Amino acid sequence: MPVPLYQAKAEFFRTLGHPVRIRVLELLAAGDKPVRELRAAIDIEAASLSQQLAVLRLAGLVTKRHDKGDVIYSLSLPAVEQLLAAAREIIQTDAKGRGGLVDDLARPAATP
Amino acid sequence: MPVPLYQAKAEFFRTLGHPVRIRVLELLAAGDKPVRELRAAIDIEAASLSQQLAVLRLAGLVTKRHDKGDVIYSLSLPAVEQLLAAAREIIQTDAKGRGGLVDDLARPAATP
DNA sequence: GTTTCACTTGCAGAAGTATGCAACTCTGCA
DNA sequence: TGCAGAGTTGCATACTTCTGCAAGTGAAAC
């Protein structure tokens, strides 16, 4: 049973609509990462992270593989990276237009 | 109080995560439209459409103006159009990869 | 001024989504 | 084989979001 494109699109965006999932995708955009490292960067319960990773996996946005005792995740659709960049631009432009509502703390692990 | 960028991004995507809102944005991408016309194209209760338009307005994605007794909506962030196009490509690629889950009925009003 | 048409808002119930805990699985190693 | 550490899943609760109806607003026509 085929799904209308606009509905598939809505579901896709809904998948992106969660802070933890966004951060996971941005971290993975910089390169494959073990769960351990994602967990450290995001500072979240292991179970919650697994939950969100499962959502991303089911949506087909990430894939996992095992390597020497830990689990490595990677982006399966590189185009997602461009999408995130586009969103960043839109939001920053918009925020400027309204007076700087948005603070760039996108990567707390990178700038502690 | 500044909002972290990743959270703003999540909210932004969540705003896009609704079939009616996607269709409204795609219709508006083709040009400004009166509510009446959106309503005809999407085939939805007037109240529901208004609700979704209000969401888009609050998110700053569309603006409205009055003109000779009806209300005209337009995209306020043209970049959104590119975002939708990017999403379309990702989804179609993904769908092909999985065996054609997605049917292109994005614009039923345009090709009856 | 009031009638009409077009759109919007408020609200309550229904449905979907997130969270945290506890239990389970899997991998590597002694 | 049995243990330890790392991830994952299931489930119950709490929360958010959606939907449809009824009432309300606002601008043009009469």
Side-chain angles (χ1 to χ4, degrees), chain B residues 7-105:
Chain B
Q7 195 173 325
K9 229 180 276 186
E11 275 165 32
F12 173 71
F13 282 126
R14 201 127 48 89
T15 302
L16 297 182
H18 190 291
V20 169
R21 298 199 286 264
I22 289 285
R23 295 188 64 190
V24 166
L25 291 174
E26 295 200 323
L27 289 164
L28 294 183
D32 300 2
K33 300 239 175 334
V35 174
R36 179 173 35 79
E37 207 166 307
L38 295 173
R39 185 156 141 51
I42 300 179
D43 188 33
I44 186 184
E45 289 255 344
S48 300
L49 179 55
S50 255
Q51 206 88 323
Q52 305 307 337
L53 287 172
V55 172
L56 292 172
R57 241 185 304 128
L58 288 174
L61 295 181
V62 303
T63 54
K64 76 178 190 182
R65 63 174 193 277
H66 289 257
D67 180 46
K68 287 185 53 142
D70 49 22
V71 178
I72 313 275
Y73 275 84
S74 43
L75 281 191
S76 47
L77 298 172
V80 168
E81 193 177 344
Q82 297 166 13
L83 210 77
L84 291 173
R88 189 176 315 138
E89 243 176 78
I90 288 176
I91 289 166
Q92 284 175 338
T93 304
D94 192 40
K96 266 177 209 149
R98 300 198 216 171
L101 271 168
V102 175
D103 185 26
D104 194 347
L105 293 174

Side-chain angles (χ1 to χ4, degrees), chain A residues 12-26:
Chain A
F12 173 72
F13 283 126
R14 202 128 49 89
T15 302
L16 298 182
H18 190 292
V20 169
R21 297 199 286 263
I22 289 285
R23 294 187 64 191
V24 166
L25 291 174
E26 294 200 323

Side-chain angles (χ1 to χ4, degrees), chain A residues 3-15:
Chain A
V3 174
L5 181 52
Y6 57 83
Q7 194 174 326
K9 231 181 272 185
E11 275 164 32
F12 173 72
F13 283 126
R14 202 128 49 89
T15 302

